[in-house]
Amino acid sequence: MTVVDAVQRRVLRVLAVTQVLGAAGVTIGLAVSTLIAAVLADSDAVGGMAQTAAVLGAAVFALPAARLAARSGRRPALVLGYGAGAVGAAVAACAVVLGSWQVLLVALVLFGAASSANLAARYAGADLAHPHRRARSVALVVWAATVGAVAGPNLADPAGRVAVRLGLPVGAGPYLMSAVLFGLAAWVVLRFLRPDPLVLAKSAVAPSVGTRRSVAVWRSLPPAGKLALGGVTLCHTAMVGLMSMTPVHMEHAGSSLRVVGVVISLHVAAMYAASPLFGWMADRLGRVPVLAIGAALVVAASGIAGMAPSHDAPQLAAGLALLAFGWSAGVVAGSALLTESVAVVDRPAAQGLSDLCMNVGGALGGVAAGVVVTAWSYAALGLLVGFTALPLLVTCLFASLQRVR
């Protein structure tokens, strides 16, 4: 085993731990944010703004974090993300105590930085990976978030009870728990992510080679890189749009919160649990064919979920599970393809642009989905998402035939 291989194994172990902590912190906060904001403001519209604030925070943080990573490495960028998220969670707890929904929304923008750090961590897993294992390394980091994403919402209730015992409002507890988890994630990165994987990867590059901003990198991206960026963004936008309106669709049939929770939990688990499989496939079959599989799964999921009656929880669960698999295939294969499409010194800028596009796409997808369902129906949303994914599927199939990797 070479020194680089040993460092890579250490990096993956550290990132796996931070993914568990970070994902748990993110899902605890997001599980209660809509409800708490709606209660504080006595407005469902403000409740919807809570999720948007966190997504926009992740988008705003993506490019500055990428710039910091390009200058100083992955470690300071991830520490900054988790640290800012911890501050945002603490301020959100204070907002609950004060009863201010305005302060809560501002705090959730900072909270979103931790979500951005969790997304960026997958690229840190690819910095030192061998080309034939790069997708599997990305997938391993994504998969580690499964534990935190599934466990996180279940920690909200115990955290609320602890807050009550301390004389605080029950809604402050989940945010305080998120702050602790983000703080632990930042400490783990600061203490154990040594040597920095990106700094080590860049050490092989001539010192005269400088970094470029995201716009310049975008202009010089090869076709494979632009395909990767578009694929990741589309799969994420489709996932957020269709998933966000499924609880509303089920509520129209009088489905209980328990049934809705089970469907969404299965969806979240499927997002991460299958990533090692798609990572292995991307390394064996190629990045573009797996992107095509992701697009095909999104199309299939849109049809299955879109045609499901609002009372048919099993069909909706099956559709959302396929949607999650499509997201996983797209993100894993697209992230690996984007990483190897640019020079080492340009990776942070390209990856930051990717995360920015993902978060902006997710925010727009959620808003557009609400408009479509309000104006037409959930079935129309499924039809729209499916047709939106078709160009990616066709492009990937043609690219695969031309052996583009």
Side-chain angles (χ1 to χ4, degrees):
M1 181 189 303
T2 66
V3 174
V4 172
D5 290 335
V7 172
Q8 172 68 354
R9 290 194 176 189
R10 177 184 175 87
V11 166
L12 292 178
R13 287 195 298 268
V14 172
L15 293 176
V17 173
T18 60
Q19 284 287 284
V20 173
L21 295 170
V26 168
T27 54
I28 291 172
L30 295 185
V32 300
S33 291
T34 299
L35 177 60
I36 291 176
V39 170
L40 291 180
D42 193 23
S43 167
D44 290 341
V46 173
M49 291 171 63
Q51 297 278 355
T52 303
V55 173
L56 289 178
V60 167
F61 184 78
L63 291 185
R67 196 67 184 163
L68 178 59
R71 259 194 335 263
S72 306
R74 300 288 185 191
R75 191 158 57 94
L78 293 177
V79 169
L80 178 62
Y82 288 125
V87 172
V91 174
C94 293
V96 175
V97 174
L98 296 172
S100 172
W101 63 267
Q102 296 93 337
V103 175
L104 178 61
L105 292 183
V106 173
L108 288 175
V109 173
L110 269 178
F111 184 97
S115 179
S116 181
N118 248 33
L119 280 175
R122 74 190 189 277
Y123 289 121
D127 286 330
L128 297 175
H130 290 293
H132 66 280
R133 293 191 60 86
R134 184 168 287 132
R136 275 172 281 187
S137 296
V138 171
L140 180 61
V141 177
V142 174
W143 175 82
T146 307
V147 178
V150 173
N154 296 311
L155 296 175
D157 184 58
R161 291 200 299 268
V162 171
V164 171
R165 290 176 186 172
L166 296 175
L168 299 172
V170 64
Y175 291 122
L176 291 175
M177 176 65 78
S178 291
V180 170
L181 291 170
F182 292 154
L184 285 173
W187 177 80
V188 169
V189 171
L190 184 64
R191 175 69 177 82
F192 296 106
L193 195 62
R194 299 171 181 270
D196 189 292
L198 182 58
V199 172
L200 188 57
K202 288 170 65 175
S203 65
V205 179
S208 60
V209 178
T211 60
R212 295 183 294 169
R213 293 187 178 274
S214 296
V215 174
V217 171
W218 158 252
R219 290 172 179 167
S220 63
L221 271 181
K226 291 181 179 178
L227 177 61
L229 185 60
V232 169
T233 302
L234 189 145
C235 288
H236 187 71
T237 302
M239 184 275 293
V240 173
L242 196 57
M243 180 272 294
S244 65
M245 296 310 298
T246 300
V248 176
H249 182 57
M250 297 179 70
E251 191 270 338
H252 289 163
S255 298
S256 67
L257 288 177
R258 181 180 179 184
V259 173
V260 173
V262 168
V263 171
I264 298 302
S265 294
L266 289 173
H267 167 76
V268 173
M271 284 174 61
Y272 302 108
S275 56
L277 171 63
F278 292 120
W280 176 82
M281 291 174 64
D283 283 334
R284 293 294 299 271
L285 304 178
R287 321 308 190 204
V288 176
V290 176
L291 262 181
I293 291 173
L297 287 169
V298 169
V299 172
S302 302
I304 292 173
M307 292 187 295
S310 56
H311 62 269
D312 195 341
Q315 183 172 339
L316 287 167
L320 286 195
L322 283 180
L323 182 68
F325 291 151
W327 177 89
S328 183
V331 168
V332 169
S335 298
L337 181 60
L338 181 65
T339 297
E340 59 198 21
S341 297
V342 296
V344 173
V345 294
D346 288 333
R347 284 179 186 173
Q351 293 159 353
L353 181 62
S354 173
D355 287 347
L356 172 65
C357 292
M358 278 183 68
N359 285 297
V360 171
L364 294 177
V367 172
V371 171
V372 171
V373 171
T374 300
W376 293 287
S377 65
Y378 183 79
L381 175 62
L383 189 66
L384 177 62
V385 170
F387 272 104
T388 302
L390 278 176
L392 175 63
L393 174 59
V394 173
T395 301
C396 289
L397 288 175
F398 274 113
S400 298
L401 293 176
Q402 296 172 0
R403 299 181 180 275
V404 175
R405 289 195 60 178

